[in-house]
Amino acid sequence: MSKKYIFGPVPSRRLGYSLGIDLVERKFCSYDCIYCEVGKTTNKIIERIDFHNDKEIILQVKDFLTTYTGKIDCITFTGSGEPTLNIKMGEILNEIRRLTDLPLTLLTNGSLFFREDVRIESMGFDIVVPSLDSVCEESFFKVNKPHKDLQLSLIIEGLIKFSKEYKGKLFLEILLVKGINDSDSDLISLRKIIERMNVDKVQINTVIRPPSYKEAKPIEEEDKERIKNLLGDFVQIDLAFSAKKDNRSNIGKEEVKELLKRRPCTFEQISNSLGIDGENLKKILEDLEKELDDGLKIDKFDGEFYYKVLENE
Ligand code: SF4
Protein backbone atom coordinates (compact mmCIF):
# COMPACT_ATOMS: atom_id res chain seq x y z
CA MET A 1 0.00 0.00 0.00
CA SER A 2 1.30 3.48 -0.88
CA LYS A 3 2.13 5.58 2.18
CA LYS A 4 1.35 8.90 0.58
CA TYR A 5 -0.19 10.39 3.72
CA ILE A 6 1.89 8.91 6.52
CA PHE A 7 5.61 8.98 7.34
CA GLY A 8 7.95 7.76 10.06
CA PRO A 9 7.84 7.00 12.91
CA VAL A 10 10.59 9.58 13.35
CA PRO A 11 11.98 10.51 16.76
CA SER A 12 11.51 14.05 18.03
CA ARG A 13 12.77 15.77 21.16
CA ARG A 14 9.37 16.35 22.69
CA LEU A 15 7.22 13.59 21.28
CA GLY A 16 9.40 10.49 21.12
CA TYR A 17 8.82 8.24 18.08
CA SER A 18 6.04 9.86 16.16
CA LEU A 19 4.08 8.64 13.14
CA GLY A 20 3.39 11.70 10.98
CA ILE A 21 0.17 12.22 9.07
CA ASP A 22 0.19 14.61 6.14
CA LEU A 23 -3.22 16.26 6.31
CA VAL A 24 -2.87 18.68 3.41
CA GLU A 25 -1.30 18.59 -0.02
CA ARG A 26 1.97 20.35 -0.69
CA LYS A 27 1.97 23.26 -0.36
CA PHE A 28 -1.29 24.63 1.00
CA CYS A 29 -0.62 26.99 3.87
CA SER A 30 -1.88 30.25 5.38
CA TYR A 31 1.77 31.35 5.71
CA ASP A 32 4.83 31.29 3.52
CA CYS A 33 7.47 31.29 6.25
CA ILE A 34 10.92 32.24 5.05
CA TYR A 35 12.42 29.34 7.02
CA CYS A 36 9.97 26.69 5.77
CA GLU A 37 11.70 23.44 4.99
CA VAL A 38 8.84 22.10 2.84
CA GLY A 39 9.36 24.80 0.18
CA LYS A 40 7.61 28.00 -0.87
CA THR A 41 3.83 28.13 -0.43
CA THR A 42 2.12 27.67 -3.78
CA ASN A 43 -1.46 27.83 -2.47
CA LYS A 44 -1.77 30.50 0.22
CA ILE A 45 -5.28 30.11 1.59
CA ILE A 46 -7.21 30.63 4.81
CA GLU A 47 -10.48 28.90 3.93
CA ARG A 48 -10.69 25.32 5.15
CA ILE A 49 -11.16 22.88 2.30
CA ASP A 50 -11.88 19.22 1.67
CA PHE A 51 -8.74 17.56 0.34
CA HIS A 52 -10.76 14.35 -0.21
CA ASN A 53 -8.02 12.38 1.54
CA ASP A 54 -9.81 11.43 4.79
CA LYS A 55 -10.68 7.82 3.85
CA GLU A 56 -7.24 7.14 2.43
CA ILE A 57 -5.51 8.63 5.51
CA ILE A 58 -7.56 6.47 7.87
CA LEU A 59 -6.89 3.37 5.76
CA GLN A 60 -3.16 4.01 5.74
CA VAL A 61 -3.02 4.60 9.52
CA LYS A 62 -5.09 1.47 10.14
CA ASP A 63 -2.83 -0.59 7.90
CA PHE A 64 0.25 0.82 9.61
CA LEU A 65 -1.02 0.15 13.13
CA THR A 66 -1.90 -3.46 12.34
CA THR A 67 1.44 -4.31 10.69
CA TYR A 68 4.10 -2.16 12.39
CA THR A 69 6.11 -3.82 15.16
CA GLY A 70 8.68 -1.10 15.96
CA LYS A 71 8.63 1.67 18.54
CA ILE A 72 5.95 4.31 18.37
CA ASP A 73 4.99 6.90 21.02
CA CYS A 74 2.40 9.08 19.30
CA ILE A 75 0.66 10.06 16.09
CA THR A 76 1.18 13.60 14.84
CA PHE A 77 -1.10 15.56 12.53
CA THR A 78 1.10 17.81 10.49
CA GLY A 79 1.48 18.18 6.79
CA SER A 80 3.23 19.62 3.83
CA GLY A 81 1.44 22.81 4.82
CA GLU A 82 -1.03 23.84 7.55
CA PRO A 83 -3.07 20.84 8.82
CA THR A 84 -6.01 22.86 10.22
CA LEU A 85 -6.83 23.88 6.63
CA ASN A 86 -8.22 20.37 6.16
CA ILE A 87 -11.93 20.78 6.92
CA LYS A 88 -12.14 17.07 7.81
CA MET A 89 -9.44 17.33 10.51
CA GLY A 90 -11.93 16.72 13.33
CA GLU A 91 -13.50 13.71 11.60
CA ILE A 92 -10.11 12.17 10.83
CA LEU A 93 -9.06 12.72 14.44
CA ASN A 94 -12.17 10.95 15.75
CA GLU A 95 -11.66 7.98 13.41
CA ILE A 96 -8.01 7.58 14.41
CA ARG A 97 -8.95 7.92 18.07
CA ARG A 98 -11.11 4.81 17.57
CA LEU A 99 -8.12 2.89 16.19
CA THR A 100 -5.55 3.54 18.90
CA ASP A 101 -4.80 4.64 22.46
CA LEU A 102 -1.62 6.42 21.36
CA PRO A 103 -1.52 10.15 22.18
CA LEU A 104 -2.53 12.31 19.21
CA THR A 105 -0.63 15.52 18.55
CA LEU A 106 -1.34 18.54 16.36
CA LEU A 107 1.48 20.67 14.93
CA THR A 108 0.00 23.93 13.66
CA ASN A 109 1.00 27.46 12.81
CA GLY A 110 -1.92 28.58 15.01
CA SER A 111 -3.13 31.14 12.47
CA LEU A 112 -6.69 29.77 12.37
CA PHE A 113 -7.41 29.61 16.10
CA PHE A 114 -9.50 32.74 15.71
CA ARG A 115 -12.07 30.33 14.20
CA GLU A 116 -14.27 28.56 16.69
CA ASP A 117 -14.48 25.34 14.62
CA VAL A 118 -10.67 25.04 14.53
CA ARG A 119 -10.43 25.62 18.29
CA ILE A 120 -13.15 23.02 19.01
CA GLU A 121 -11.60 20.36 16.76
CA SER A 122 -8.12 21.02 18.17
CA MET A 123 -9.44 20.40 21.71
CA GLY A 124 -9.64 16.69 20.77
CA PHE A 125 -5.83 16.32 20.60
CA ASP A 126 -3.74 15.22 23.59
CA ILE A 127 -0.92 17.58 22.68
CA VAL A 128 -1.10 20.77 20.60
CA VAL A 129 2.05 22.51 19.39
CA PRO A 130 1.18 25.88 17.86
CA SER A 131 3.80 28.33 16.66
CA LEU A 132 4.03 32.06 17.22
CA ASP A 133 7.19 33.60 15.83
CA SER A 134 6.46 37.26 16.37
CA VAL A 135 3.78 39.54 17.81
CA CYS A 136 5.14 42.66 16.04
CA GLU A 137 3.56 43.44 12.68
CA GLU A 138 6.78 44.13 10.79
CA SER A 139 8.69 41.04 11.80
CA PHE A 140 5.56 38.87 11.63
CA PHE A 141 5.09 39.86 7.98
CA LYS A 142 8.76 39.36 7.22
CA VAL A 143 9.13 35.98 8.86
CA ASN A 144 5.73 34.34 8.19
CA LYS A 145 4.54 36.12 5.00
CA PRO A 146 0.90 35.54 6.01
CA HIS A 147 -2.18 35.41 3.78
CA LYS A 148 -3.32 38.97 3.06
CA ASP A 149 -6.57 38.59 5.03
CA LEU A 150 -4.94 37.38 8.24
CA GLN A 151 -4.73 39.85 11.11
CA LEU A 152 -2.00 39.42 13.69
CA SER A 153 -4.19 40.74 16.52
CA LEU A 154 -6.86 38.11 15.74
CA ILE A 155 -4.26 35.34 15.57
CA ILE A 156 -2.88 36.33 18.98
CA GLU A 157 -6.34 36.55 20.56
CA GLY A 158 -7.26 33.16 19.04
CA LEU A 159 -4.15 31.56 20.53
CA ILE A 160 -4.74 33.08 23.96
CA LYS A 161 -8.36 31.96 23.89
CA PHE A 162 -7.44 28.43 22.84
CA SER A 163 -4.74 28.20 25.52
CA LYS A 164 -7.33 28.98 28.19
CA GLU A 165 -10.01 26.61 26.90
CA TYR A 166 -7.73 23.66 26.11
CA LYS A 167 -7.23 20.91 28.68
CA GLY A 168 -4.40 18.93 27.06
CA LYS A 169 -0.69 19.72 26.86
CA LEU A 170 0.19 22.93 25.03
CA PHE A 171 3.75 23.49 23.81
CA LEU A 172 4.30 26.86 22.14
CA GLU A 173 7.01 26.92 19.51
CA ILE A 174 8.89 30.05 18.45
CA LEU A 175 11.27 30.01 15.52
CA LEU A 176 13.82 32.80 15.55
CA VAL A 177 15.53 34.04 12.42
CA LYS A 178 18.70 36.07 12.81
CA GLY A 179 18.13 39.80 12.32
CA ILE A 180 14.39 39.41 11.58
CA ASN A 181 12.40 38.46 14.69
CA ASP A 182 15.12 38.18 17.33
CA SER A 183 15.51 41.81 18.48
CA ASP A 184 15.18 42.72 22.17
CA SER A 185 11.94 44.59 21.53
CA ASP A 186 10.47 41.65 19.55
CA LEU A 187 11.26 39.25 22.38
CA ILE A 188 9.95 41.54 25.12
CA SER A 189 6.64 41.93 23.25
CA LEU A 190 6.48 38.18 22.72
CA ARG A 191 7.03 37.56 26.42
CA LYS A 192 4.11 39.84 27.33
CA ILE A 193 1.79 37.81 25.12
CA ILE A 194 3.10 34.48 26.38
CA GLU A 195 2.38 35.63 29.91
CA ARG A 196 -1.28 35.92 28.93
CA MET A 197 -1.36 32.32 27.70
CA ASN A 198 -1.66 29.01 29.55
CA VAL A 199 1.20 27.04 28.08
CA ASP A 200 3.04 24.03 29.46
CA LYS A 201 6.29 24.81 27.70
CA VAL A 202 7.75 27.33 25.29
CA GLN A 203 10.34 26.03 22.92
CA ILE A 204 12.71 28.14 20.84
CA ASN A 205 14.04 26.86 17.56
CA THR A 206 16.02 28.36 14.78
CA VAL A 207 16.74 27.63 11.12
CA ILE A 208 18.48 24.26 11.07
CA ARG A 209 17.63 22.99 7.59
CA PRO A 210 17.79 24.61 4.15
CA PRO A 211 15.03 27.26 4.17
CA SER A 212 12.71 28.33 1.33
CA TYR A 213 14.16 31.85 1.33
CA LYS A 214 17.89 32.39 1.52
CA GLU A 215 17.60 35.40 3.89
CA ALA A 216 16.53 33.01 6.68
CA LYS A 217 19.64 32.62 8.82
CA PRO A 218 19.95 30.82 12.15
CA ILE A 219 20.49 32.62 15.44
CA GLU A 220 23.84 31.87 16.97
CA GLU A 221 25.01 30.12 20.07
CA GLU A 222 25.98 33.44 21.71
CA ASP A 223 22.39 34.75 21.29
CA LYS A 224 21.00 32.03 23.55
CA GLU A 225 21.68 33.70 26.88
CA ARG A 226 20.20 37.04 25.77
CA ILE A 227 17.07 35.30 24.45
CA LYS A 228 16.69 33.28 27.60
CA ASN A 229 17.02 36.38 29.77
CA LEU A 230 14.46 38.28 27.72
CA LEU A 231 11.90 35.48 27.55
CA GLY A 232 12.23 34.30 31.13
CA ASP A 233 13.23 31.12 32.87
CA PHE A 234 10.35 28.97 31.67
CA VAL A 235 11.70 28.95 28.14
CA GLN A 236 13.39 25.84 26.90
CA ILE A 237 15.91 26.67 24.22
CA ASP A 238 16.56 23.89 21.74
CA LEU A 239 18.79 24.62 18.83
CA ALA A 240 19.81 21.19 17.70
CA PHE A 241 18.42 17.74 17.39
CA SER A 242 19.71 14.32 18.01
CA ALA A 243 18.13 11.06 19.03
CA LYS A 244 19.48 7.72 20.07
CA LYS A 245 19.79 5.17 17.32
CA ASP A 246 17.94 1.92 17.80
CA ASN A 247 19.09 0.43 14.50
CA ARG A 248 15.67 -0.74 13.43
CA SER A 249 16.42 -3.39 10.84
CA ASN A 250 13.11 -3.03 8.95
CA ILE A 251 13.86 0.57 7.95
CA GLY A 252 14.99 0.87 4.36
CA LYS A 253 15.03 2.86 1.15
CA GLU A 254 11.32 3.72 1.11
CA GLU A 255 11.42 5.23 4.62
CA VAL A 256 14.50 7.30 3.77
CA LYS A 257 12.80 8.46 0.57
CA GLU A 258 9.59 9.45 2.41
CA LEU A 259 11.56 11.35 5.07
CA LEU A 260 13.62 13.26 2.48
CA LYS A 261 10.52 14.16 0.50
CA ARG A 262 9.19 15.98 3.56
CA ARG A 263 12.31 17.62 4.89
CA PRO A 264 15.94 17.98 3.90
CA CYS A 265 18.28 16.16 6.29
CA THR A 266 22.01 15.68 6.78
CA PHE A 267 23.46 12.18 6.76
CA GLU A 268 23.56 12.28 10.55
CA GLN A 269 19.96 13.51 10.85
CA ILE A 270 18.69 10.68 8.62
CA SER A 271 20.68 8.18 10.61
CA ASN A 272 19.39 9.56 13.94
CA SER A 273 15.82 10.02 12.72
CA LEU A 274 15.39 6.54 11.35
CA GLY A 275 17.88 4.68 13.50
CA ILE A 276 19.99 3.42 10.58
CA ASP A 277 23.71 2.83 11.05
CA GLY A 278 26.19 4.68 8.81
CA GLU A 279 27.12 1.70 6.62
CA ASN A 280 23.50 0.83 5.79
CA LEU A 281 22.55 4.43 5.21
CA LYS A 282 25.47 4.93 2.83
CA LYS A 283 24.25 1.98 0.80
CA ILE A 284 20.62 3.20 0.84
CA LEU A 285 21.65 6.66 -0.36
CA GLU A 286 23.75 5.14 -3.15
CA ASP A 287 20.74 3.04 -4.23
CA LEU A 288 18.48 6.08 -4.09
CA GLU A 289 20.93 8.08 -6.18
CA LYS A 290 20.89 5.34 -8.84
CA GLU A 291 17.11 5.06 -8.73
CA LEU A 292 16.23 8.76 -8.64
CA ASP A 293 19.17 10.28 -10.50
CA ASP A 294 18.47 14.06 -10.43
CA GLY A 295 15.54 13.46 -8.03
CA LEU A 296 17.97 13.18 -5.10
CA LYS A 297 19.49 16.60 -4.42
CA ILE A 298 22.29 17.62 -2.09
CA ASP A 299 22.27 21.25 -0.88
CA LYS A 300 24.85 23.00 1.27
CA PHE A 301 23.47 25.09 4.16
CA ASP A 302 25.39 26.55 7.10
CA GLY A 303 28.41 24.36 6.33
CA GLU A 304 26.41 21.10 6.24
CA PHE A 305 25.25 18.93 3.32
CA TYR A 306 21.50 18.20 3.16
CA TYR A 307 19.86 15.40 1.18
CA LYS A 308 16.44 16.06 -0.33
CA VAL A 309 14.11 14.05 -2.59
CA LEU A 310 12.21 16.18 -5.09
CA GLU A 311 8.43 16.05 -4.64
CA ASN A 312 7.40 14.25 -7.84
CA GLU A 313 9.65 11.26 -7.11
S1 SF4 B 1 6.73 26.48 8.24
FE1 SF4 B 1 4.69 25.66 8.52
S2 SF4 B 1 3.43 27.45 8.65
FE2 SF4 B 1 5.32 28.13 7.78
S3 SF4 B 1 5.02 28.01 5.55
FE3 SF4 B 1 5.94 26.06 6.20
S4 SF4 B 1 4.22 24.74 6.52
FE4 SF4 B 1 3.40 26.82 6.51
Side-chain angles (χ1 to χ4, degrees):
M1 173 188 275
S2 135
K3 287 186 178 173
K4 187 173 175 212
Y5 297 110
I6 62 172
F7 59 96
V10 289
S12 90
R13 285 169 299 226
R14 353 161 246 244
L15 307 171
Y17 283 93
S18 159
L19 176 74
I21 303 182
D22 243 340
L23 232 56
V24 303
E25 306 288 334
R26 187 189 292 228
K27 170 59 204 308
F28 284 77
C29 193
S30 48
Y31 289 170
D32 182 21
C33 304
I34 60 170
Y35 57 76
C36 187
E37 58 196 40
V38 180
K40 291 184 181 160
T41 299
T42 45
N43 297 283
K44 202 187 279 183
I45 58 166
I46 54 169
E47 70 273 25
R48 306 185 75 200
I49 56 174
D50 189 349
F51 288 90
H52 299 288
N53 54 7
D54 50 313
K55 289 193 175 61
E56 188 59 27
I57 288 174
I58 292 155
L59 219 62
Q60 286 183 18
V61 173
K62 196 172 183 177
D63 181 63
F64 176 87
L65 291 172
T66 46
T67 54
Y68 185 68
T69 52
K71 187 167 168 47
I72 175 166
D73 297 306
C74 75
I75 297 181
T76 302
F77 284 46
T78 166
S80 306
E82 170 51 32
T84 60
L85 286 170
N86 189 326
I87 200 160
K88 298 252 179 83
M89 181 179 80
E91 288 171 41
I92 297 170
L93 171 72
N94 292 339
E95 286 297 322
I96 292 178
R97 184 67 84 196
R98 272 195 267 275
L99 298 175
T100 176
D101 291 331
L102 285 168
L104 304 179
T105 301
L106 171 66
L107 297 191
T108 169
N109 66 20
S111 65
L112 300 185
F113 280 145
F114 66 88
R115 292 179 58 129
E116 194 182 15
D117 57 345
V118 172
R119 289 201 306 277
I120 290 174
E121 287 170 35
S122 304
M123 300 280 178
F125 289 90
D126 303 289
I127 304 168
V128 175
V129 187
S131 51
L132 181 65
D133 300 331
S134 174
V135 297
C136 301
E137 293 281 349
E138 198 187 334
S139 32
F140 169 63
F141 277 91
K142 276 191 187 158
V143 77
N144 298 123
K145 297 183 186 292
H147 185 279
K148 63 178 177 31
D149 295 333
L150 280 173
Q151 285 177 38
L152 179 58
S153 57
L154 279 185
I155 294 172
I156 293 171
E157 288 315 313
L159 271 166
I160 293 174
K161 201 161 187 209
F162 178 74
S163 79
K164 296 198 165 148
E165 294 164 346
Y166 180 56
K167 301 280 182 278
K169 288 226 173 307
L170 191 64
F171 302 150
L172 185 72
E173 188 162 281
I174 301 167
L175 194 138
L176 295 178
V177 179
K178 179 99 185 149
I180 297 192
N181 61 341
D182 65 337
S183 71
D184 287 5
S185 62
D186 267 293
L187 297 173
I188 291 165
S189 307
L190 204 47
R191 180 187 176 135
K192 286 185 187 146
I193 296 297
I194 297 169
E195 283 171 351
R196 292 175 55 203
M197 297 173 72
N198 282 341
V199 291
D200 292 281
K201 209 188 284 177
V202 180
Q203 190 160 359
I204 309 288
N205 290 314
T206 191
V207 188
I208 53 162
R209 293 199 174 87
S212 346
Y213 292 83
K214 61 179 181 336
E215 59 266 39
K217 304 273 187 253
I219 52 166
E220 282 151 20
E221 203 54 37
E222 54 262 34
D223 293 317
K224 271 171 126 177
E225 219 34 55
R226 174 183 67 89
I227 292 163
K228 210 171 173 177
N229 290 338
L230 288 167
L231 286 177
D233 291 340
F234 63 100
V235 170
Q236 181 181 331
I237 300 188
D238 279 324
L239 293 176
F241 175 78
S242 91
K244 274 207 169 86
K245 296 183 178 87
D246 69 357
N247 285 321
R248 287 170 284 163
S249 54
N250 53 346
I251 298 286
K253 201 166 71 176
E254 281 313 303
E255 283 79 8
V256 174
K257 194 168 153 184
E258 288 306 312
L259 176 69
L260 296 180
K261 262 188 197 176
R262 285 167 174 93
R263 59 184 196 202
C265 296
T266 62
F267 187 91
E268 199 183 1
Q269 286 167 347
I270 308 170
S271 166
N272 284 335
S273 279
L274 297 175
I276 308 173
D277 64 56
E279 274 305 300
N280 275 333
L281 182 55
K282 212 169 139 229
K283 169 124 196 11
I284 289 172
L285 287 170
E286 280 167 7
D287 288 350
L288 273 180
E289 205 170 355
K290 276 185 215 142
E291 180 190 317
L292 303 175
D293 198 12
D294 288 344
L296 179 71
K297 279 192 70 188
I298 305 173
D299 290 332
K300 194 170 180 196
F301 174 72
D302 209 21
E304 302 256 27
F305 290 98
Y306 284 80
Y307 293 86
K308 180 181 182 175
V309 169
L310 298 182
E311 61 188 281
N312 48 357
E313 294 297 336

